[in-house]
Amino acid sequence: NAGVTQTPKFQVLKTGQSMTLQCAQDMNHEYMSWYRQDPGMGLRLIHYSVGAGITDQGEVPNGYNVSRSTTEDFPLRLLSAAPSQTSVYFCASNGGTEAFFGQGTRLTVV
Amino acid sequence: AQTVTQSQPEMSVQEAETVTLSCTYDTSESDYYLFWYKQPPSRQMILVIRQEAYKQQNATENRFSVNFQKAAKSFSLKISDSQLGDAAMYFCASDAGGTSYGKLTFGQGTILTVHP
């Protein structure tokens, strides 16, 4: 049982480039979410999904897009990377008792 | 909107001693959930303990226990018999439940150092 698989683990982007962070879970959870972690600020919710075809914005959604075409996958897209998006990103899924997190992606935008 | 505040950026403890990490929260919900997560240098987020707001009894998991004061909106974590492996960043988090279930609000984190 893999749990939550998040790729890549590390990424360096140039300002203006686009990329997609992948997230997949094999626990058949309905709830999935993306967070970013910045020093001194804890984790903040970017986007959220309660099931396939349903997404909602979190606290810091600007600059990020999501879609949920299947229960398993919840990719996060950066359309035009900015230095302010340098952060550690976590994907999480929740089946009703607790959130399970991916290993995180350290993204640096130069 | 929920808020979670951890007022201790850093804490330290001697091995085998007890340490308490503080957390306060604010929510307008009546049915919510509170969590403590541990983040070691590996970056992995690990659930330490979970508390349902409707339960008056404090949650306990081996050496980890909480002091849940609902009226005061306080949720502290006590680590007994501290071990070197407990050294990590600890996050307090809340889940509003209901239609917002699964949306976690995190505190700023507390770095715990364990001295041998």
Side-chain angles (χ1 to χ4, degrees):
Chain A
N1 192 341
V4 179
T5 302
Q6 187 180 335
T7 57
K9 291 184 180 179
F10 300 94
Q11 183 71 50
V12 179
L13 287 179
K14 294 182 178 179
T15 298
Q17 285 186 319
S18 63
M19 79 160 297
T20 299
L21 305 183
Q22 301 292 343
C23 178
Q25 53 97 0
D26 61 1
M27 297 172 283
N28 202 33
H29 288 168
E30 291 298 322
Y31 304 94
M32 295 187 73
S33 49
W34 277 100
Y35 298 86
R36 60 177 289 172
Q37 180 180 7
D38 300 294
M41 303 186 74
L43 281 73
R44 293 180 292 168
L45 182 65
I46 304 172
H47 282 289
Y48 172 78
S49 172
V50 299
I54 306 170
T55 63
D56 194 10
Q57 295 182 349
E59 180 185 354
V60 288
N62 292 339
Y64 308 96
N65 281 351
V66 293
S67 61
R68 182 110 178 258
S69 57
T70 67
T71 298
E72 294 77 20
D73 299 301
F74 190 44
L76 179 71
R77 298 182 185 85
L78 285 71
L79 299 180
S80 179
S84 61
Q85 293 178 304
T86 293
S87 188
V88 177
Y89 292 84
F90 286 95
C91 176
S93 74
N94 192 323
T97 56
E98 65 179 270
F100 294 84
F101 287 84
Q103 295 175 299
T105 298
R106 180 173 294 278
L107 175 68
T108 303
V109 183
V110 298
Chain B
Q2 296 187 102
T3 60
V4 177
T5 302
Q6 293 177 250
S7 58
Q8 306 157 318
E10 298 182 21
M11 291 285 285
S12 63
V13 64
Q14 290 293 132
E15 194 175 7
E17 297 294 310
T18 296
V19 64
T20 298
L21 307 185
S22 300
C23 173
T24 58
Y25 63 93
D26 193 16
T27 181
S28 58
E29 302 294 331
S30 58
D31 187 16
Y32 54 90
Y33 307 85
L34 298 168
F35 307 87
W36 279 98
Y37 281 90
K38 171 184 178 182
Q39 186 181 47
S42 66
R43 204 165 65 199
Q44 183 65 41
M45 294 290 287
I46 302 166
L47 179 66
V48 174
I49 202 163
R50 176 179 188 266
Q51 174 82 44
E52 291 92 340
Y54 66 87
K55 290 186 177 179
Q56 292 186 336
Q57 186 173 5
N58 289 326
T60 299
E61 288 288 340
N62 300 314
R63 298 182 295 107
F64 299 87
S65 61
V66 298
N67 183 4
F68 175 45
Q69 300 291 325
K70 190 171 184 178
K73 296 183 177 177
S74 171
F75 184 62
S76 60
L77 174 69
K78 185 173 79 171
I79 306 174
S80 304
D81 186 26
S82 296
Q83 301 175 359
L84 295 178
D86 295 333
M89 173 81 85
Y90 286 81
F91 289 103
C92 179
S94 68
D95 185 324
T99 57
S100 294
Y101 186 81
K103 297 182 181 180
L104 294 175
T105 300
F106 286 85
Q108 301 89 332
T110 297
I111 299 172
L112 178 65
T113 302
V114 181
H115 298 288

